[in-house]
Amino acid sequence: MSNTKSSNQAAVPEAKGALDRFKFEVANELGVPLTDGYNGNLTSKQNGSVGGYMVKKIVSEQPEIPTQRLYIRLSCQGRNV
Protein backbone atom coordinates (compact mmCIF):
# COMPACT_ATOMS: atom_id res chain seq x y z
CA MET A 1 0.00 0.00 0.00
CA SER A 2 1.09 3.52 -0.69
CA ASN A 3 1.64 6.05 2.08
CA THR A 4 0.77 9.01 -0.13
CA LYS A 5 -2.38 10.99 0.48
CA SER A 6 -5.14 10.93 -2.07
CA SER A 7 -5.35 13.90 -4.40
CA ASN A 8 -9.12 13.50 -4.71
CA GLN A 9 -10.93 16.61 -3.62
CA ALA A 10 -14.63 17.27 -3.64
CA ALA A 11 -15.79 19.90 -6.11
CA VAL A 12 -18.29 21.08 -3.49
CA PRO A 13 -16.93 20.17 -0.05
CA GLU A 14 -20.22 21.17 1.60
CA ALA A 15 -21.96 18.31 -0.23
CA LYS A 16 -19.88 15.58 1.42
CA GLY A 17 -22.42 14.90 4.17
CA ALA A 18 -25.30 14.65 1.72
CA LEU A 19 -23.33 12.31 -0.54
CA ASP A 20 -22.42 10.11 2.41
CA ARG A 21 -26.08 9.87 3.45
CA PHE A 22 -27.01 9.09 -0.15
CA LYS A 23 -24.32 6.39 -0.30
CA PHE A 24 -25.69 4.68 2.82
CA GLU A 25 -29.25 4.96 1.49
CA VAL A 26 -28.25 3.27 -1.78
CA ALA A 27 -26.22 0.60 0.02
CA ASN A 28 -29.23 -0.15 2.19
CA GLU A 29 -31.51 -0.40 -0.89
CA LEU A 30 -29.07 -2.86 -2.49
CA GLY A 31 -28.52 -4.86 0.69
CA VAL A 32 -24.81 -4.00 0.87
CA PRO A 33 -23.65 -3.99 4.53
CA LEU A 34 -21.82 -0.65 4.37
CA THR A 35 -20.54 0.66 7.68
CA ASP A 36 -19.25 4.01 8.82
CA GLY A 37 -15.50 3.47 8.76
CA TYR A 38 -13.55 0.51 7.39
CA ASN A 39 -15.29 -1.49 4.66
CA GLY A 40 -12.39 -3.63 3.45
CA ASN A 41 -14.49 -6.75 3.96
CA LEU A 42 -16.75 -5.80 1.06
CA THR A 43 -16.07 -7.06 -2.45
CA SER A 44 -15.32 -4.85 -5.42
CA LYS A 45 -18.65 -5.94 -6.87
CA GLN A 46 -20.52 -4.73 -3.78
CA ASN A 47 -18.70 -1.40 -3.69
CA GLY A 48 -19.07 -0.92 -7.43
CA SER A 49 -22.78 -1.65 -7.30
CA VAL A 50 -23.26 1.12 -4.73
CA GLY A 51 -21.28 3.67 -6.75
CA GLY A 52 -22.86 2.64 -10.03
CA TYR A 53 -26.38 2.84 -8.67
CA MET A 54 -25.64 6.24 -7.14
CA VAL A 55 -24.63 7.54 -10.56
CA LYS A 56 -27.68 5.94 -12.18
CA LYS A 57 -30.03 7.62 -9.70
CA ILE A 58 -28.33 11.01 -10.03
CA VAL A 59 -28.44 10.91 -13.83
CA SER A 60 -32.06 9.72 -13.93
CA GLU A 61 -33.16 12.60 -11.71
CA GLN A 62 -31.58 15.29 -13.88
CA PRO A 63 -33.99 17.12 -16.15
CA GLU A 64 -33.33 16.50 -19.79
CA ILE A 65 -31.72 19.43 -21.55
CA PRO A 66 -33.79 20.66 -24.53
CA THR A 67 -30.77 20.51 -26.86
CA GLN A 68 -30.34 16.84 -26.00
CA ARG A 69 -33.93 16.17 -27.02
CA LEU A 70 -33.38 18.02 -30.31
CA TYR A 71 -30.18 16.07 -31.00
CA ILE A 72 -31.93 12.77 -30.29
CA ARG A 73 -34.90 13.74 -32.45
CA LEU A 74 -32.67 14.72 -35.38
CA SER A 75 -30.56 11.59 -34.97
CA CYS A 76 -33.68 9.43 -35.09
CA GLN A 77 -34.69 11.12 -38.34
CA GLY A 78 -31.39 10.12 -39.91
CA ARG A 79 -29.95 13.64 -40.10
CA ASN A 80 -26.28 14.23 -39.51
CA VAL A 81 -25.79 16.61 -36.61
Side-chain angles (χ1 to χ4, degrees):
M1 264 186 123
S2 175
N3 289 331
T4 60
K5 290 191 175 197
S6 174
S7 62
N8 292 340
Q9 292 188 0
V12 183
E14 298 81 14
K16 185 172 177 11
L19 283 172
D20 281 343
R21 286 189 301 277
F22 182 46
K23 177 173 58 176
F24 282 99
E25 174 188 320
V26 167
N28 188 44
E29 285 181 33
L30 297 175
V32 175
L34 193 64
T35 61
D36 192 22
Y38 179 73
N39 286 291
N41 57 320
L42 299 178
T43 66
S44 297
K45 182 177 181 177
Q46 289 173 308
N47 287 317
S49 67
V50 172
Y53 197 65
M54 285 174 69
V55 171
K56 181 178 179 179
K57 286 184 82 165
I58 290 170
V59 169
S60 70
E61 292 177 9
Q62 294 299 312
E64 189 176 348
I65 300 170
T67 55
Q68 287 177 328
R69 283 194 299 251
L70 176 62
Y71 177 80
I72 292 168
R73 197 173 312 131
L74 293 174
S75 295
C76 290
Q77 293 174 357
R79 297 183 186 175
N80 292 330
V81 278

